[in-house]
């Protein structure tokens, strides 16, 4: 069976990653990697669905035991992708979405060069700031840290394979774009290295 595609979706705070990914996940073809984090849950977030909310001690133990595919520290908290679950999804043939920040994305690309890296961007920094403030789920300090971090995130755009803009009410269009990227990637010749040999068998 063909293995699933490892898809990294990054984007600065307020880019709409969660909404876009939720649309992709309506199809059985896609699965989401539930990350572990040491940050507190936001209102409405559910342990085991949005994240595994664990202590620092627990997180550091998992790193030490090699149980993380990648991890990072973002705004003073650990975030990481559990390795075993990710590999099981890919082996099952489903496409796995990692909704992770840029450092994690770079680590994934180093370890799995076949991964497809997509950056989701709001149309501009000004729109991003307005959206983030509209969400009003973080403290001012946290909002400022997240906005500040955007510069270093966007600076890594050239290491990504694709950029998708989330314009006004554009989540559906972004999800369509990502589905199109995935279809094209699955047809790419570099993913079918033995195709010409196999054709004549
Ligand atoms: P938030 O606190 O807004 O849920 O997430 C903060 C940032 O951490 C976002 O950019 C999100 O994509 C990223 N993130 C979430 N899970 C992971 C993970 O497992 N690994 C890494 N490297 N980043 C993550």
């Amino acid at each position: 069976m063909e293995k699933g595609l490892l898809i990294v979706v990054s984007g600065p705070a307020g880019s709409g990653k969660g909404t876009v990914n939720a649309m992709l996940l309506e199809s059985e073809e896609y699965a989401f990697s539930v990350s572990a984090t040491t940050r507190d849950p936001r209102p409405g977030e559910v342990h085991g669905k949005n994240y595994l909310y664990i202590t620092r001690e627990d997180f550091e133990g998992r790193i030490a035991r090699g149980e993380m595919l990648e991890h990072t520290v973002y705004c003073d908290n650990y975030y990481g992708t559990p390795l075993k679950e990710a590999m099981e999804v890919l082996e099952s043939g489903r496409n796995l979405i990692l909704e992770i920040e840029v450092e994690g994305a770079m680590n994934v690309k180093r370890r799995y060069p076949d991964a497809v890296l997509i950056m989701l961007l709001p149309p501009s920094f000004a729109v991003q700031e307005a959206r983030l403030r509209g969400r009003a789920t973080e403290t001012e300090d946290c909002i400022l840290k997240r906005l500040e971090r955007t510069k270093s995130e966007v600076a890594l755009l050239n290491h990504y394979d694709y950029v998708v803009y989330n314009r006004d009410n554009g989540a559906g269009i972004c999800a369509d774009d990502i589905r199109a990227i995935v279809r094209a990637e699955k047809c790419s010749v570099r993913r079918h290295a033995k195709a010409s040999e196999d054709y004549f068998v």
Side-chain angles (χ1 to χ4, degrees), residues 140-170:
E140 179 63 18
D141 181 48
C142 189
I143 289 175
L144 290 177
K145 272 191 188 159
R146 282 166 186 249
L147 287 172
E148 180 58 30
R149 200 179 153 110
T150 301
K151 289 176 197 151
S152 54
E153 290 172 329
V154 176
L156 286 174
L157 180 59
N158 286 343
H159 294 270
Y160 279 68
D161 300 302
Y162 298 92
V163 58
V164 171
Y165 285 98
N166 190 352
R167 302 198 165 82
D168 285 341
N169 298 318

Side-chain angles (χ1 to χ4, degrees), residues 5-201:
L5 216 60
L6 183 55
I7 305 159
V8 171
V9 179
S10 304
S15 56
K17 303 178 290 278
T19 312
V20 172
N21 289 336
M23 290 177 169
L24 293 172
L25 293 167
E26 284 167 12
S27 152
E28 288 280 300
E29 285 174 46
Y30 293 87
F32 182 68
S33 162
V34 179
S35 295
T37 183
T38 57
R39 85 150 160 77
D40 293 331
R42 294 193 189 118
E45 288 185 345
V46 178
H47 179 80
K49 181 168 174 269
N50 304 91
Y51 283 104
L52 302 169
Y53 300 94
I54 62 177
T55 62
R56 260 171 192 273
E57 201 183 16
D58 187 354
F59 204 113
E60 286 168 357
R62 291 179 192 223
I63 298 171
R65 291 191 298 275
E67 291 171 12
M68 291 295 183
L69 185 155
E70 61 76 37
H71 71 275
T72 196
V73 175
Y74 177 96
C75 293
D76 306 328
N77 279 301
Y78 279 119
Y79 291 81
T81 307
L83 177 64
K84 187 166 161 272
E85 290 76 1
M87 293 303 121
E88 280 170 4
V89 169
L90 294 175
E91 291 298 332
S92 78
R94 296 171 81 202
N95 304 314
L96 181 67
I97 299 175
L98 306 187
E99 191 182 307
I100 64 177
E101 53 64 66
V102 289
E103 280 169 24
M106 297 300 105
N107 289 334
V108 169
K109 190 75 181 179
R110 264 190 291 274
R111 200 161 163 188
Y112 301 96
D114 270 358
V116 180
L117 268 50
I118 302 173
M119 186 167 303
L120 193 65
L121 285 181
S124 68
F125 185 68
V127 172
Q128 181 196 344
E129 180 167 7
R131 284 186 190 164
L132 201 52
R133 291 190 182 284
R135 185 159 84 184
T137 47
E138 283 100 349
T139 60
E140 179 63 18
D141 181 48
C142 189
I143 289 175
L144 290 177
K145 272 191 188 159
R146 282 166 186 249
L147 287 172
E148 180 58 30
R149 200 179 153 110
T150 301
K151 289 176 197 151
S152 54
E153 290 172 329
V154 176
L156 286 174
L157 180 59
N158 286 343
H159 294 270
Y160 279 68
D161 300 302
Y162 298 92
V163 58
V164 171
Y165 285 98
N166 190 352
R167 302 198 165 82
D168 285 341
N169 298 318
I173 296 170
C174 295
D176 282 345
D177 284 350
I178 293 175
R179 285 187 206 101
I181 290 167
V182 169
R183 284 191 76 165
E185 280 289 333
K186 290 211 161 175
C187 297
S188 86
V189 171
R190 93 193 134 79
R191 289 187 196 278
H192 295 268
K194 286 173 65 243
S196 57
E197 263 172 58
D198 293 348
Y199 187 72
F200 295 102
V201 175

